[in-house]
Amino acid sequence: MVSYSVPTAQQVLLPETLLKKEKSDASAEAKATEAKIQSRKARITKRRELVRRAASYRREYQSSERELIELKRQAKANGSYYVPAQAKLLLVVRIRGINNIAPKPRKVLQLFRLLQINNAVFVRANKATLEMLQLVLPYVTFGEPNLKTIRELVYKRGYGKINKQRIALHDNALIEQSLGKYNISSMEDLIHEIATVGPNFKEANTFLWPFKLSNPTGGWRTRKFSGHFIEGGDEGNRERFINNLVQSMN
């Protein structure tokens, strides 16, 4: 009588296709694990670099502030006054709507990207922009923003122009994607480039979408459209007092 027995697992040969699949899966898993490790190392290195840069910017800001204080003290000790250099950066805020605007001021507002009331943009202060601001003086107010104002605007109201779309700047990767070739990889890099009017100011400023501010707390002055800021109105150059206005609108 013939006896039959079930073969053991060791006696059964696996199909060649299954062996290849197991080998391929193991190789892909090893590669994915290695890629994850390398990606984590790169993120840690990048984060440390950004922290180092932010610390260097902070030291630079503090050094320039101490230098300004020292120059004022020396001037006072010598019985004179310290006159700071002309500001290199201006913040322009549109305070008037679209009614009854002549063609030339309308075009200048378009060039400044001030298309809506309460829009704000950073502008490099030079002869050309100052002459353009004179053409739209009844429609805007402007001044010299400090570092605190710049930082709060970028962090709270900052949007970037990415693929012609208005995208909130919630991740440094978005900034690096658009401005990485200019060595601007984080919010602090962007703020530093704007605040110092660096060599890539044009690209950084163009990347930033115009800020959309609210009406100021407590409203505008009663003579909003009736004169210059120093005459009781709201238009024109208000120098450092632009920071107070933006604080109430941000």
Side-chain angles (χ1 to χ4, degrees):
M1 186 175 179
V2 180
S3 61
Y4 298 94
S5 62
V6 178
T8 62
Q10 289 77 15
Q11 294 173 333
V12 175
L13 298 177
L14 291 176
E16 187 68 20
T17 55
L18 185 58
L19 291 174
K20 288 183 178 180
K21 184 177 183 306
E22 290 180 351
K23 185 177 180 181
S24 176
D25 290 347
S27 176
E29 184 178 357
K31 289 182 180 179
T33 303
E34 180 64 23
K36 189 180 294 185
I37 294 173
Q38 295 300 327
S39 176
R40 184 172 182 274
K41 288 181 179 179
R43 285 199 305 272
I44 292 174
T45 304
K46 186 69 176 178
R47 192 180 304 118
R48 288 175 178 171
E49 171 66 16
L50 295 180
V51 170
R52 186 190 63 79
R53 281 196 202 177
S56 68
Y57 296 152
R58 193 178 305 111
R59 289 193 297 269
E60 179 183 343
Y61 301 144
Q62 292 173 349
S63 175
S64 61
E65 187 176 355
R66 284 196 298 266
E67 182 181 0
L68 179 61
I69 294 173
E70 186 62 28
L71 289 173
K72 288 182 178 180
R73 286 175 176 172
Q74 290 179 3
K76 185 176 180 180
N78 295 331
S80 61
Y81 295 96
Y82 173 73
V83 179
Q86 183 179 1
K88 297 186 293 183
L89 179 68
L90 295 175
L91 178 64
V92 185
V93 182
R94 181 168 178 171
I95 63 172
R96 203 164 187 171
I98 63 175
N99 292 338
N100 301 324
I101 299 183
K104 185 175 288 187
R106 184 188 296 269
K107 183 61 178 179
V108 173
L109 289 173
Q110 290 176 356
L111 293 175
F112 279 140
R113 302 184 297 159
L114 296 173
L115 305 181
Q116 296 174 327
I117 190 170
N118 292 346
N119 272 11
V121 294
F122 294 115
V123 172
R124 189 197 302 265
N126 53 33
K127 185 173 182 292
T129 55
L130 291 176
E131 291 179 352
M132 291 171 67
L133 285 171
Q134 292 302 314
L135 295 175
V136 294
L137 203 59
Y139 309 99
V140 299
T141 184
F142 58 94
E144 306 161 8
N146 56 26
L147 181 62
K148 180 175 183 290
T149 299
I150 298 172
R151 175 174 279 114
E152 289 183 354
L153 276 176
V154 174
Y155 270 105
K156 185 176 179 180
R157 304 272 183 174
Y159 285 78
K161 184 167 64 175
I162 302 173
N163 296 328
K164 299 182 179 180
Q165 294 181 340
R166 183 172 180 262
I167 306 298
L169 300 179
H170 57 81
D171 191 351
N172 287 333
L174 296 173
I175 300 175
E176 186 174 13
Q177 174 187 346
S178 300
L179 300 175
K181 55 187 174 183
Y182 304 112
N183 199 27
I184 301 175
S185 304
S186 67
M187 294 288 275
E188 289 299 326
D189 290 342
L190 184 60
I191 292 170
H192 179 264
E193 193 69 23
I194 295 293
T196 59
V197 193
N200 298 312
F201 171 82
K202 180 181 178 181
E203 290 77 10
N205 193 36
T206 304
F207 168 74
L208 280 175
W209 201 278
F211 302 103
K212 296 186 177 184
L213 304 179
S214 305
N215 281 325
T217 304
W220 296 97
R221 293 186 176 186
T222 54
R223 299 181 57 195
K224 176 181 178 183
F225 301 134
S226 60
H228 196 280
F229 174 71
I230 60 177
E231 298 173 345
D234 273 307
E235 63 192 44
N237 186 4
R238 55 178 72 205
E239 298 181 351
R240 69 179 187 278
F241 294 104
I242 191 69
N243 298 295
N244 300 336
L245 175 66
V246 174
Q247 291 293 327
S248 65
M249 298 177 71
N250 194 2

